[in-house]
Structures are given as C-alpha cells and as structure tokens.
Amino acid sequence: MNKIIISPSILSADFMNLENEIKAVQEAGADWIHIDVMDGHFVPNISIGVPVLKSIRKKTEMFLDTHLMIENPQNYIEAFAKAGADLITFHYEACQESINETIDLIKSFNKKVGVSIKPKTDVSVLFPYIDSIDLALIMTVEPGFGGQEFIHDCALKIPQLKEKCSENFIIQVDGGINNLTAKICTSLGANSLVAGSYIYNSKDYKKSIEMLN
Ligand code: DX5
Ligand code: ZN
C-alpha cells in the first residue's frame, strides 16, 4: 500500500509558538505542513498570509502545502511562491475563468499545483485538469474554519476522482479528519490527509498522526 501523506494544518496550532508547533509535528511523523490562507471574501474568515509563510520557510525545511482560500488567487501566486510555498492549492470556485492560466503560473515558479473544490461543487469539474496538476483537494467541510464536522457525502467524490487519475496523483481531503473519517477517506482512495484540530488539540501528536495512518 502506498504511503498516506499526512499534512497537519497549523490553523489549530498555537501561533505564539509556531516554530515549536511545526517541529513537534515533524518529530511526530508529519509529512507536510498545511498552511491555510483565508481572505474574508472567499471564505468568511481571515487567517494568515505571505509574511507568516515567509517566516515559516526560514525555520523549516518541511514541504509547505499552501491552501489558498482566497478570491483571485492568480494575483497572489508570485508572492506565495517567492515566500517559499512548495505546493500551491487554489480553489476552482475562486477563478473559474482562469484555471489553466493559474495552473501555468504556479508551474512557472517550479511549484507543485493543487486545485480544490468546496463541498457543493461537483467533482467532475476537476477532470479536465487532472493531467496538468499534482493534487486535487476535496473539501470535506465548508472551507473557513477548523474543528467542523466531516461531511460524509463529500467522501463519495474520492472514488469518482480516483477512477480518472494515475497511481501517483495525490487525492487530498481536508476538514473534519480524525482517526475514523481518515479510514473512510483512505479506504475510498485518498492518499493525503489534512488534519488540524484532531492533531493540534490532542495531547500526543505522535499518537494522533499514527492513528491517521
Ligand atoms: C478549513 C481548512 C482546514 C482546517 C481543517 O477551511 O482548510 O485545513 O484547518 O481543520 P480540521 O482538521 O479541524 O477540520
Ligand atoms: Zn486547508
């Protein structure tokens, strides 16, 4: 069985102690670090942006999985790429007219590319882009906040996507992931899990990450 890429979302970390919070999940077995960027327009919440990503980059070698929940992501790709993102995932709903241009722009900075869909978006919208991207992110909650409940119906998109893509394509899920929902998603074909509150609200990060695997 292929390895599952575990990407803890620092949205639920202690921001006053971010360097240690990142080191702690790294030592606990995390593969990537998931960075949630929210603009208060595409989602009804504001989180962190370019300067924070830049500071994180200076302190860690870990793969930075950057999830842009922002309108007009194409206007910010250069800034996030130069700040040190390794993968930039943007939302299909945020720039429907310029998906290909945004994919090409991310690639022009030699970064990996992800496209994400919200719970109400049909998975088939991603099919035309599968061959030109590295990852598809299926949101299993409405984007905007950590700690929400997993929407089971969204997991049904995983096998639909799996059917269309190659072995090494990354199908990532994000939202409400815990030891139980992780198993649902991986058994349906997901090979990357984002988890915020399940990991960062636990006392033992190592144990929580093991439970996701
Ligand atoms: C939500 C973010 C998630 C969030 C997940 O919009 O994209 O990455 O941190 O949090 P949990 O794992 O607590 O649902
Ligand atoms: Zn996210």
Side-chain angles (χ1 to χ4, degrees), residues 73-88 101-113:
Q74 64 278 11
N75 297 347
Y76 302 91
I77 300 304
E78 181 172 1
F80 281 102
K82 289 188 172 162
D86 293 295
L87 160 73
I88 301 179
E101 290 80 352
T102 309
I103 291 171
D104 290 345
L105 186 57
I106 297 172
K107 284 184 176 169
S108 74
F109 293 101
N110 283 321
K111 305 296 181 179
K112 298 242 182 290
V113 186

Side-chain angles (χ1 to χ4, degrees), residues 9 11 34 36 38 67 69 139 143-147 174-176 194-197:
S9 163
L11 191 61
H34 186 82
D36 287 302
M38 304 179 186
H67 179 193
M69 287 163 277
M139 289 304 299
F145 300 90
D174 182 6
V194 175
S197 53

Side-chain angles (χ1 to χ4, degrees), residues 80-205:
F80 281 102
K82 289 188 172 162
D86 293 295
L87 160 73
I88 301 179
T89 298
F90 64 95
H91 268 265
Y92 168 82
E93 304 86 355
C95 60
Q96 285 181 40
E97 277 86 61
S98 52
I99 306 282
N100 281 318
E101 290 80 352
T102 309
I103 291 171
D104 290 345
L105 186 57
I106 297 172
K107 284 184 176 169
S108 74
F109 293 101
N110 283 321
K111 305 296 181 179
K112 298 242 182 290
V113 186
V115 182
S116 182
I117 50 167
K118 292 199 214 180
K120 292 192 184 81
T121 304
D122 201 281
V123 69
S124 62
V125 303
L126 295 175
F127 296 165
Y129 308 106
I130 286 173
D131 290 338
S132 37
I133 63 178
D134 302 282
L135 172 151
L137 169 53
I138 295 178
M139 289 304 299
T140 41
V141 298
E142 281 298 336
F145 300 90
Q148 302 181 79
E149 205 168 314
F150 182 81
I151 304 169
H152 282 263
D153 283 355
C154 295
L156 301 174
K157 296 175 186 177
I158 301 167
Q160 291 175 264
L161 187 59
K162 183 99 192 148
E163 208 174 283
K164 304 274 177 199
C165 61
S166 69
E167 265 306 290
N168 52 10
F169 187 80
I170 303 171
I171 301 179
Q172 186 178 61
V173 286
D174 182 6
I177 297 299
N178 58 35
N179 55 324
L180 302 174
T181 56
K183 293 290 165 296
I184 296 172
C185 295
T186 53
S187 66
L188 289 169
N191 50 4
S192 177
L193 304 168
V194 175
S197 53
Y198 179 71
I199 295 173
Y200 277 112
N201 293 355
S202 74
K203 288 204 173 67
D204 186 339
Y205 297 170

